[in-house]
Amino acid sequence: MNQRAPAPAATDTGSQAVSAMFGRIVRWYDPLNRLLSLGLDQGWRILLARAALLHLQDEPSPRLLDLAAGTLDVSLALHKLCPQGHVTAMDFCQPMLEKGRAKLHTPELQHAIDTAVADARRLPLADASFHAVTMAFGIRNITPRSQALQEMYRVLLPGGRACILEFGSGRQRIWSGIYNIYLNRILPLMGRLFSGDGAYSYLARTICNFPTADVLADELRAAGFARVYYLPLTSGIVCLHVAEKA
Ligand SMILES: C[S@@+](CC[C@H](N)C(=O)[O-])C[C@H]1O[C@@H](n2cnc3c(N)ncnc32)[C@H](O)[C@@H]1O
């Protein structure tokens, strides 16, 4: 891994709380993702991985960075679509990464995907060292977002792209409000029932507080990205953002 001096992960109280919360729900994280997204979440991640790899078809061994990598579903999708690449997966919650590492069943997978505990706002990585950066369902949890976006920009090679998958702003009415009722009432209830934790109320709250896709696009431009666009998925429940470094 092309690294600079390691930075401590989750140092402030806000991020320690976020990391601890993901640590508490790690056992339920994958099955609840499938259940609560009605099986759509893995398809969204594959679209993210495809978008990240689109400009790398002629690259013999692309270096890929998956941030807020959690239990490595995006890292695995990147490897499946681009087995000749190398994935560095980073997250500040060690239990999430450990759960993910248990999915690396073969020596080939263990060689192709490296994991490291790191805060996306202070990456222990050299400038201009990756061809593509992904982040799925992570940016919503990060404050201030601008630091993580600037870090993505810094570690990308010129011509590289950052691809971010995130829920749309939950304030927008979707499917005549049916999705909003699901998000605010049913999802926290099901999360509490299955995981016994209030983390799924946090999920609904962060989705509702998340800005519109246009605001995130402006923030990506402010971080330095030259070409920025986004694609709403599943009626805008989720949005795929693509940002290219000139
Ligand atoms: C909702 S999970 C998404 C995990 C994975 N990307 C996926 O698609 O399932 C959010 C992840 O972001 C991580 N995270 C939140 N803030 C972070 C930060 N500042 N630096 C690194 N990881 C962070 C959490 O630990 C958690 O694993």
Side-chain angles (χ1 to χ4, degrees):
M1 208 187 297
N2 196 1
Q3 287 205 346
R4 60 182 193 179
T11 42
D12 54 293
T13 16
S15 51
Q16 278 165 354
V18 171
S19 172
M21 184 200 72
F22 281 104
R24 284 198 307 276
I25 61 166
V26 64
R27 194 156 70 94
W28 292 99
Y29 181 77
D30 284 340
L32 275 180
N33 267 348
R34 309 294 174 268
L35 180 73
L36 298 176
S37 74
L38 309 176
L40 294 171
D41 63 315
Q42 290 291 60
W44 292 329
R45 287 188 187 86
I46 288 166
L47 291 176
L48 169 72
R50 276 205 192 124
L53 297 169
L54 206 59
H55 66 306
L56 297 175
Q57 275 147 6
D58 298 328
E59 188 58 48
S61 50
R63 292 189 299 279
L64 311 167
L65 175 64
D66 182 24
L67 292 176
T71 57
L72 304 190
D73 282 345
V74 173
S75 304
L76 285 161
L78 287 167
H79 174 70
K80 195 166 181 188
L81 293 173
C82 180
Q84 74 279 19
H86 184 272
V87 183
T88 300
M90 292 186 155
D91 196 292
F92 68 11
C93 177
Q94 186 150 12
M96 289 285 275
L97 286 180
E98 278 166 12
K99 187 84 179 169
R101 284 206 66 82
K103 299 177 186 174
L104 308 181
H105 298 299
T106 63
E108 188 223 334
L109 276 173
Q110 286 156 19
H111 179 72
I113 302 177
D114 265 334
T115 58
V117 175
D119 189 326
R121 297 167 301 177
R122 287 181 298 274
L123 294 172
L125 298 167
D127 295 354
S129 45
F130 288 88
H131 293 91
V133 179
T134 55
M135 183 184 278
F137 307 115
I139 195 71
R140 202 183 63 244
N141 301 287
I142 300 179
T143 315
R145 277 190 296 278
S146 57
Q147 281 182 9
L149 303 181
Q150 283 161 16
E151 280 294 81
M152 288 181 184
Y153 184 83
R154 180 182 69 75
V155 301
L156 273 172
L157 286 155
R161 47 164 66 179
C163 295
I164 299 177
L165 187 67
E166 192 47 88
F167 289 98
S169 172
R171 279 165 293 180
Q172 188 192 334
R173 263 169 72 84
I174 293 178
W175 298 339
S176 311
I178 292 172
Y179 165 69
N180 309 75
I181 294 171
Y182 173 75
L183 176 64
N184 291 308
R185 303 271 164 81
I186 300 170
L187 184 138
L189 187 69
M190 282 169 72
R192 192 178 293 275
L193 274 178
F194 284 96
S195 73
D197 197 279
Y200 287 82
S201 307
Y202 166 87
L203 172 70
R205 218 170 37 246
T206 52
I207 294 173
C208 288
N209 291 336
F210 197 65
T212 62
D214 283 328
V215 171
L216 186 61
D218 283 343
E219 292 178 359
L220 283 160
R221 283 184 203 100
F225 287 98
R227 188 165 167 250
V228 176
Y229 55 94
Y230 63 82
L231 192 68
L233 306 175
T234 319
S235 306
I237 288 176
V238 163
C239 203
L240 172 58
H241 296 260
V242 179
E244 293 173 358
K245 181 168 175 174

